[in-house]
Each structure stands twice: as C-alpha cells, then as structure tokens.
C-alpha cells in the first residue's frame, strides 16, 4: 500500500490527497494497508483514479482504497474515495486468527464510481464497528463481480457487532 502500518499504535494520516494511476499488479493493489495496528486515524482526505489491470495474475484483484487486517479502534472520517475500483474493505487478519480483528468507525465520507463502497468481514466480536453519515453512489459491476453499496460477508466466521446508520446508497448497477 501507499499508506502502510504494521504493529503500530496511534498513527495519524491527516489532510492528504492521493491521485492514483493505472497499474498491472499481480496482488494487493491497495492505497491504505494496515495490519495489526491500533488507533489509526485517517481524516480529511481525497483519493481518486486508481485502477489495476490484473491480466496474467494468479490472484486477480481490482484496485482498492483499503484492505484492512486487524485494524483495531481506527477512525476514518471526512473523506472522498472516487474511481478506485473498490472502496473500504475490512478484510480480516492473517490466517483469520481471532486475536487481531477489525474494529472502528467510518463516518462523514463519500465513495463513488467504484465496484463497491464498503465491505465488512472479520470484525471483532467484542467491539462495535460503525458506519455512519456516509454516501455511496454510482457503483457498477463487471462480468466477474456485482456492484454493491454495503457488503457484509462471513466467509469463515460471522461478522458481528456492526452498526450501520444514517447512510445513503444510490445508483447501484448490480447484476
């Protein structure tokens, strides 16, 4: 990732703008990639125009704003994520261990012109994760994946303690 934290406490990324590029990465084309971090804050930012062509990859993936592993007690606020193929993804923890699961707050954001806006998986069963006061619009799918606004999944474990309120999802083109 462009912004990468691992085993950190209290890292702040504030007041930034990232204009992406067109890439051909084989795996993990990501802007924000925390792992086993605690208390990260991303505030007042804009990220846009990040695309990945996964041609030739064994693990084909589109570009993402975030792919979060064990990002605990985070705050992502006052943001715009646009044209990045995918938005915020609370993905899990290494080998889906239960010690470091995701938890935090996402608020006051706009995610647009992507395949999906918000995806939740591997959340901490003891701490509430919140998505509030945000907008998701103009998502559209491809032949390989459906467009989505808010995607909650439980591939290997339930996705508990998620509170979603005061959000708008509009113009989702999903097959």
């Amino acid at each position: 990732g462009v912004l990468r934290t691992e085993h950190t406490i209290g890292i702040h990324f504030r007041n930034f703008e990232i204009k992406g590029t067109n890439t051909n990465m084989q795996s993990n084309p990501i802007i924000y990639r925390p792992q086993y971090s605690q208390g990260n804050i991303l505030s007042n930012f804009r990220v846009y125009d990040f695309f990945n062509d996964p041609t030739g990859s064994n693990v084909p993936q589109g570009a993402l704003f975030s792919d979060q592993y064990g990002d605990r007690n985070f705050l992502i606020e006052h943001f715009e994520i646009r044209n990045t193929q995918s938005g915020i993804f609370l993905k899990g923890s290494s080998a889906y261990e239960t010690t470091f699961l995701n938890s935090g707050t996402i608020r006051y954001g706009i995610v647009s012109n992507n395949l999906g806006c918000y995806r939740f998986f591997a959340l901490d069963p003891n701490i509430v994760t919140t998505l509030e006061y945000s907008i998701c619009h103009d998502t559209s799918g491809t032949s390989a994946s459906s467009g989505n606004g808010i995607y909650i999944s439980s591939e290997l474990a339930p996705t508990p303690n998620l509170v979603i309120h005061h959000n708008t999802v509009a113009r989702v083109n999903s097959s």
Side-chain angles (χ1 to χ4, degrees), residues 134-167:
S134 294
I135 298 171
C136 165
H137 67 89
D138 295 311
T139 70
S140 81
T142 66
S143 59
S145 134
S146 295
N148 61 76
I150 299 171
Y151 182 170
I152 303 165
S153 61
S154 56
E155 288 92 346
L156 300 174
T159 301
N161 288 330
L162 177 61
V163 175
I164 300 171
H165 66 90
H166 293 89
N167 296 280

Side-chain angles (χ1 to χ4, degrees), residues 91-159:
K91 189 171 185 181
S93 61
S94 181
Y96 300 107
E97 64 180 76
T98 59
T99 308
F100 297 103
L101 296 168
N102 296 296
S103 64
T105 300
I106 302 165
R107 64 184 182 196
Y108 312 123
I110 300 172
V111 181
S112 64
N113 298 306
N114 294 321
L115 295 172
C117 295
Y118 305 101
R119 186 170 176 185
F120 298 93
F121 173 63
L123 301 182
D124 192 300
N126 301 309
I127 303 170
V128 172
T129 296
T130 304
L131 171 62
E132 61 188 4
Y133 307 109
S134 294
I135 298 171
C136 165
H137 67 89
D138 295 311
T139 70
S140 81
T142 66
S143 59
S145 134
S146 295
N148 61 76
I150 299 171
Y151 182 170
I152 303 165
S153 61
S154 56
E155 288 92 346
L156 300 174
T159 301

Side-chain angles (χ1 to χ4, degrees), residues 49 63 76-78 84 98 121 135 141 168:
D49 297 344
I76 300 175
E77 66 175 0
H78 304 290
T84 57
T98 59
F121 173 63
I135 298 171
T168 300

Side-chain angles (χ1 to χ4, degrees), residues 32-89:
Y32 173 55
R33 175 60 162 80
Q35 182 160 328
Y36 308 141
S37 293
Q38 182 173 330
N40 286 349
I41 296 175
L42 282 74
S43 181
N44 196 31
F45 67 91
R46 180 181 349 188
V47 174
Y48 57 97
D49 297 344
F50 181 42
F51 299 93
N52 188 53
D53 173 6
T55 303
S57 174
N58 292 332
V59 287
Q61 297 171 307
L64 299 103
F65 167 71
S66 73
D67 198 357
Q68 294 165 244
Y69 284 80
D71 195 11
R72 296 170 292 148
N73 193 31
F74 67 82
L75 174 61
I76 300 175
E77 66 175 0
H78 304 290
F79 61 89
E80 179 184 4
I81 299 168
R82 165 179 98 248
N83 297 324
T84 57
Q85 287 179 293
S86 290
I88 295 173
F89 185 8

